[in-house]
PDB file of all heavy atoms in Angstrom:
ATOM      1  N   ALA A 202      12.328  23.474 -93.686  1.00  0.00           N
ATOM      2  CA  ALA A 202      11.246  23.724 -92.620  1.00  0.00           C
ATOM      3  C   ALA A 202      10.648  22.387 -92.127  1.00  0.00           C
ATOM      4  O   ALA A 202      10.096  22.369 -91.066  1.00  0.00           O
ATOM      5  CB  ALA A 202      10.158  24.562 -93.238  1.00  0.00           C
ATOM      6  N   ALA A 203      10.858  21.352 -92.872  1.00  0.00           N
ATOM      7  CA  ALA A 203      10.223  20.008 -92.498  1.00  0.00           C
ATOM      8  C   ALA A 203      10.704  19.581 -91.147  1.00  0.00           C
ATOM      9  O   ALA A 203       9.867  19.102 -90.365  1.00  0.00           O
ATOM     10  CB  ALA A 203      10.523  18.958 -93.564  1.00  0.00           C
ATOM     11  N   PRO A 204      11.958  19.649 -90.743  1.00  0.00           N
ATOM     12  CA  PRO A 204      12.317  19.199 -89.374  1.00  0.00           C
ATOM     13  C   PRO A 204      11.606  20.014 -88.273  1.00  0.00           C
ATOM     14  O   PRO A 204      11.227  19.400 -87.293  1.00  0.00           O
ATOM     15  CB  PRO A 204      13.811  19.487 -89.324  1.00  0.00           C
ATOM     16  CG  PRO A 204      14.295  19.454 -90.718  1.00  0.00           C
ATOM     17  CD  PRO A 204      13.187  20.063 -91.548  1.00  0.00           C
ATOM     18  N   TRP A 205      11.483  21.305 -88.545  1.00  0.00           N
ATOM     19  CA  TRP A 205      10.872  22.125 -87.444  1.00  0.00           C
ATOM     20  C   TRP A 205       9.311  21.854 -87.474  1.00  0.00           C
ATOM     21  O   TRP A 205       8.724  21.870 -86.298  1.00  0.00           O
ATOM     22  CB  TRP A 205      11.146  23.516 -87.701  1.00  0.00           C
ATOM     23  CG  TRP A 205      12.599  23.812 -87.800  1.00  0.00           C
ATOM     24  CD1 TRP A 205      13.298  24.085 -88.993  1.00  0.00           C
ATOM     25  CD2 TRP A 205      13.547  23.765 -86.852  1.00  0.00           C
ATOM     26  NE1 TRP A 205      14.637  24.205 -88.704  1.00  0.00           N
ATOM     27  CE2 TRP A 205      14.861  23.962 -87.372  1.00  0.00           C
ATOM     28  CE3 TRP A 205      13.497  23.526 -85.494  1.00  0.00           C
ATOM     29  CZ2 TRP A 205      16.065  23.995 -86.647  1.00  0.00           C
ATOM     30  CZ3 TRP A 205      14.619  23.535 -84.650  1.00  0.00           C
ATOM     31  CH2 TRP A 205      15.923  23.755 -85.259  1.00  0.00           C
ATOM     32  N   VAL A 206       8.715  21.623 -88.581  1.00  0.00           N
ATOM     33  CA  VAL A 206       7.227  21.226 -88.570  1.00  0.00           C
ATOM     34  C   VAL A 206       7.176  19.942 -87.819  1.00  0.00           C
ATOM     35  O   VAL A 206       6.185  19.730 -87.001  1.00  0.00           O
ATOM     36  CB  VAL A 206       6.771  21.166 -90.036  1.00  0.00           C
ATOM     37  CG1 VAL A 206       5.384  20.510 -90.117  1.00  0.00           C
ATOM     38  CG2 VAL A 206       6.798  22.451 -90.721  1.00  0.00           C
ATOM     39  N   THR A 207       7.994  18.983 -88.110  1.00  0.00           N
ATOM     40  CA  THR A 207       7.942  17.698 -87.409  1.00  0.00           C
ATOM     41  C   THR A 207       8.119  17.809 -85.938  1.00  0.00           C
ATOM     42  O   THR A 207       7.341  17.204 -85.141  1.00  0.00           O
ATOM     43  CB  THR A 207       9.068  16.727 -87.980  1.00  0.00           C
ATOM     44  OG1 THR A 207       8.909  16.638 -89.377  1.00  0.00           O
ATOM     45  CG2 THR A 207       8.983  15.365 -87.302  1.00  0.00           C
ATOM     46  N   ARG A 208       9.136  18.553 -85.537  1.00  0.00           N
ATOM     47  CA  ARG A 208       9.305  18.784 -84.053  1.00  0.00           C
ATOM     48  C   ARG A 208       8.160  19.485 -83.413  1.00  0.00           C
ATOM     49  O   ARG A 208       7.797  19.181 -82.307  1.00  0.00           O
ATOM     50  CB  ARG A 208      10.606  19.528 -83.843  1.00  0.00           C
ATOM     51  CG  ARG A 208      11.873  18.755 -84.255  1.00  0.00           C
ATOM     52  CD  ARG A 208      13.079  19.497 -83.756  1.00  0.00           C
ATOM     53  NE  ARG A 208      14.327  19.036 -84.301  1.00  0.00           N
ATOM     54  CZ  ARG A 208      15.573  19.433 -83.957  1.00  0.00           C
ATOM     55  NH1 ARG A 208      15.677  20.415 -83.062  1.00  0.00           N
ATOM     56  NH2 ARG A 208      16.617  18.938 -84.535  1.00  0.00           N
ATOM     57  N   GLY A 209       7.601  20.469 -84.098  1.00  0.00           N
ATOM     58  CA  GLY A 209       6.497  21.218 -83.520  1.00  0.00           C
ATOM     59  C   GLY A 209       5.250  20.341 -83.313  1.00  0.00           C
ATOM     60  O   GLY A 209       4.559  20.452 -82.287  1.00  0.00           O
ATOM     61  N   LEU A 210       4.947  19.525 -84.399  1.00  0.00           N
ATOM     62  CA  LEU A 210       3.849  18.625 -84.245  1.00  0.00           C
ATOM     63  C   LEU A 210       4.011  17.601 -83.121  1.00  0.00           C
ATOM     64  O   LEU A 210       3.083  17.293 -82.284  1.00  0.00           O
ATOM     65  CB  LEU A 210       3.546  17.916 -85.521  1.00  0.00           C
ATOM     66  CG  LEU A 210       3.155  18.789 -86.734  1.00  0.00           C
ATOM     67  CD1 LEU A 210       3.145  18.027 -88.011  1.00  0.00           C
ATOM     68  CD2 LEU A 210       1.715  19.283 -86.467  1.00  0.00           C
ATOM     69  N   ALA A 211       5.268  17.088 -82.967  1.00  0.00           N
ATOM     70  CA  ALA A 211       5.606  16.192 -81.909  1.00  0.00           C
ATOM     71  C   ALA A 211       5.479  16.884 -80.511  1.00  0.00           C
ATOM     72  O   ALA A 211       4.990  16.315 -79.557  1.00  0.00           O
ATOM     73  CB  ALA A 211       6.986  15.589 -82.074  1.00  0.00           C
ATOM     74  N   ALA A 212       5.933  18.130 -80.476  1.00  0.00           N
ATOM     75  CA  ALA A 212       5.894  18.924 -79.186  1.00  0.00           C
ATOM     76  C   ALA A 212       4.422  19.135 -78.790  1.00  0.00           C
ATOM     77  O   ALA A 212       4.125  19.063 -77.561  1.00  0.00           O
ATOM     78  CB  ALA A 212       6.637  20.218 -79.356  1.00  0.00           C
ATOM     79  N   LEU A 213       3.513  19.410 -79.773  1.00  0.00           N
ATOM     80  CA  LEU A 213       2.115  19.637 -79.415  1.00  0.00           C
ATOM     81  C   LEU A 213       1.584  18.293 -78.930  1.00  0.00           C
ATOM     82  O   LEU A 213       0.713  18.352 -77.973  1.00  0.00           O
ATOM     83  CB  LEU A 213       1.433  20.099 -80.702  1.00  0.00           C
ATOM     84  CG  LEU A 213      -0.056  20.346 -80.603  1.00  0.00           C
ATOM     85  CD1 LEU A 213      -0.410  21.408 -79.509  1.00  0.00           C
ATOM     86  CD2 LEU A 213      -0.730  20.863 -81.916  1.00  0.00           C
TER      87      LEU A 213
END
Side-chain angles (χ1 to χ4, degrees):
W205 306 105
V206 173
T207 302
R208 294 189 191 185
L210 293 170
L213 180 58

